[in-house]
Amino acid sequence: MSSRRGLRVVVIGGTGNVGTSVVSALGATPDVETVLAVARRPTAWTTSKTTFVTTDIATGDLRAAVRGADAVIHLAWLFQPTRKPAVTWRNNVLGAIGVFDAVAAERVPALVYASSVAAYSPGPSDREVSENWPTHGWPGAAYPREKAYLERWLDAYEIRNPAVRVVRMRPGFIFKRESATSQRRLFGGPFVPGSLARRAAVPAVPLPDQLRVQILHTDDAAAAYVQAVLRPVHGAYNLATDPPVDRRFLADYFGARPVRIPAGALRATVAAAWHTRLVPATPGLVDTVLHLPLMDSTRARTELDWSPAYTPHDTFTEFLDGLRAGSGLPTAPLAADTARRRWHEITTGAGRTP
């Protein structure tokens, strides 16, 4: 993609974990002239070249938001409320389809969509999978069902709209210091103390053999998104770093004792905590994580010239530092930890509110 003027990029979901890093990276890119960041709620956070607008993708005028763009990056996603799946479906699936249709209607040349490792079907235990692995997700949780549904929808969309260059990013788990409090709220709930981030507070790591996940730093993911805008590429790209985080990785990191437990025991523990409203993460999400394949990121490294700057150890350390400090940014999704916010989580019910 080239032009005499700089590129105009629209980021749908510009104030969350990935969105804040993506708009910052775009603002630092010479070929980008302006960034329009769309968010569901107002923000006090600012960054170079970026204008923020408030639009709910489930109800807003999306054609107006993307009009005149050279590329649209769609990141907006609700993980909560897990107890109201119709709410997440309306935002995540119907809202995304609205964005995709607006891109086609306004003849935007490029669409970069945030898919996920969770879109993949369960994979082999002895090797990493490429982008050709089936994307049917895991049926036991809303998140993989929604991601897999949109993969199928984009298959037909690309046939109907051959003029739109569609890129699907499939990252692993994405962390940075400023996302720690948000992710604690989304998955751990109000009763997870920041003191657990201290290495001395973890004497043992009880996890099943099947739990292995790949993580990457949010800024590394953002770098790949920028390249997907700048380069004439299309298709899917795995984004992950090695080694994967598993029981041995965590035991070595914390200097703790690794303890093998059955997968059913972990699921039962989370199920009990979810049903008693102690945590927002559903037992279905545990099943999803246990069935995720490991990804081969060769295509991203080759075609996007993507070289992650952070190791999994670096990323995990930064995330724990942020969790311990209650870090965040002045955006609604990434608001820093306070006693008042914790109390709000308790009184509104873990997993009940977006």
Side-chain angles (χ1 to χ4, degrees), residues 264-321:
L266 177 61
R267 188 188 188 282
T269 299
V270 174
W274 187 73
H275 286 298
T276 54
R277 299 184 181 273
L278 295 176
V279 300
T282 69
L285 280 177
V286 174
D287 285 334
T288 300
V289 173
L290 292 173
H291 289 88
L292 292 178
L294 297 180
M295 298 184 293
D296 180 345
S297 300
T298 299
R299 187 177 187 219
R301 293 173 183 270
T302 302
E303 297 185 14
L304 301 179
D305 196 23
W306 184 63
S307 181
Y310 295 83
T311 67
H313 186 281
D314 297 336
T315 300
F316 193 63
T317 297
E318 186 173 314
F319 170 76
L320 291 183
D321 287 345

Side-chain angles (χ1 to χ4, degrees), residues 63-76:
R63 289 191 61 171
V66 306
R67 188 167 296 140
D70 295 294
V72 170
I73 299 176
H74 180 59
L75 305 170

Side-chain angles (χ1 to χ4, degrees), residues 187-240:
F187 305 110
F191 301 105
V192 174
S195 60
L196 282 181
R198 293 185 297 107
R199 296 191 182 192
V202 183
V205 178
L207 290 175
D209 290 337
Q210 301 97 311
L211 200 151
R212 307 177 303 160
V213 299
Q214 290 165 302
I215 68 173
L216 70 158
H217 195 282
T218 313
D219 290 350
D220 282 333
Y225 276 92
V226 171
Q227 290 306 309
V229 168
L230 299 179
R231 295 169 181 252
V233 297
H234 69 279
Y237 291 90
N238 292 340
L239 301 178

Side-chain angles (χ1 to χ4, degrees), residues 4-352:
R4 290 184 179 179
R5 63 173 176 82
L7 298 175
R8 179 176 185 264
V9 183
V10 175
V11 179
I12 309 291
T15 58
N17 174 23
V18 181
T20 50
S21 285
V22 167
V23 297
S24 294
L26 289 168
T29 301
D31 289 338
V32 174
E33 183 173 322
T34 64
V35 180
L36 181 70
V38 179
R40 186 166 55 92
R41 291 168 287 184
T43 180
W45 181 71
T46 60
T47 190
S48 177
K49 301 180 186 177
T50 304
T51 300
F52 292 86
V53 297
T54 304
T55 300
D56 188 330
I57 63 170
T59 59
D61 185 354
L62 299 175
R63 289 191 61 171
V66 306
R67 188 167 296 140
D70 295 294
V72 170
I73 299 176
H74 180 59
L75 305 170
W77 198 269
L78 287 182
F79 287 95
Q80 301 293 345
T82 54
R83 301 178 191 280
K84 296 180 181 179
V87 174
T88 60
W89 181 270
R90 185 168 60 249
N91 181 89
N92 299 343
V93 174
L94 302 184
I97 289 171
V99 172
F100 303 159
D101 282 342
V103 165
E106 293 297 327
R107 300 184 179 181
V108 177
L111 168 65
V112 183
Y113 160 64
S115 186
S116 168
V117 61
Y120 282 122
S121 303
S125 60
D126 60 342
R127 62 184 176 86
E128 298 176 338
V129 303
S130 72
E131 290 81 0
N132 293 325
W133 193 255
T135 51
H136 303 306
W138 175 255
Y143 181 68
R145 287 198 305 268
E146 291 165 353
K147 289 295 187 184
Y149 185 93
L150 287 173
E151 290 277 356
R152 297 290 73 73
W153 204 90
L154 282 173
D155 290 343
Y157 176 87
E158 290 190 75
I159 295 171
R160 295 194 307 270
N161 300 284
V164 179
R165 179 174 65 83
V166 178
V167 180
R168 313 181 198 193
M169 293 300 198
R170 296 178 185 153
F173 291 76
I174 306 175
F175 301 100
K176 63 181 177 183
R177 178 184 176 87
E178 295 84 359
S179 73
T181 294
S182 171
Q183 289 162 326
R184 192 273 303 155
R185 283 194 295 262
L186 289 172
F187 305 110
F191 301 105
V192 174
S195 60
L196 282 181
R198 293 185 297 107
R199 296 191 182 192
V202 183
V205 178
L207 290 175
D209 290 337
Q210 301 97 311
L211 200 151
R212 307 177 303 160
V213 299
Q214 290 165 302
I215 68 173
L216 70 158
H217 195 282
T218 313
D219 290 350
D220 282 333
Y225 276 92
V226 171
Q227 290 306 309
V229 168
L230 299 179
R231 295 169 181 252
V233 297
H234 69 279
Y237 291 90
N238 292 340
L239 301 178
T241 55
D242 293 312
V245 174
D246 56 11
R247 183 178 59 236
R248 174 56 61 184
F249 177 101
L250 293 173
D252 290 345
Y253 184 91
F254 287 109
R257 183 167 61 94
V259 178
R260 178 182 297 161
I261 64 170
L266 177 61
R267 188 188 188 282
T269 299
V270 174
W274 187 73
H275 286 298
T276 54
R277 299 184 181 273
L278 295 176
V279 300
T282 69
L285 280 177
V286 174
D287 285 334
T288 300
V289 173
L290 292 173
H291 289 88
L292 292 178
L294 297 180
M295 298 184 293
D296 180 345
S297 300
T298 299
R299 187 177 187 219
R301 293 173 183 270
T302 302
E303 297 185 14
L304 301 179
D305 196 23
W306 184 63
S307 181
Y310 295 83
T311 67
H313 186 281
D314 297 336
T315 300
F316 193 63
T317 297
E318 186 173 314
F319 170 76
L320 291 183
D321 287 345
L323 186 62
R324 186 169 57 252
S327 299
L329 286 173
T331 74
L334 300 184
D337 214 353
T338 65
R340 181 178 179 179
R341 290 186 184 279
R342 291 245 186 182
W343 179 245
H344 177 74
E345 293 176 57
I346 294 170
T347 56
T348 56
R352 179 176 293 177

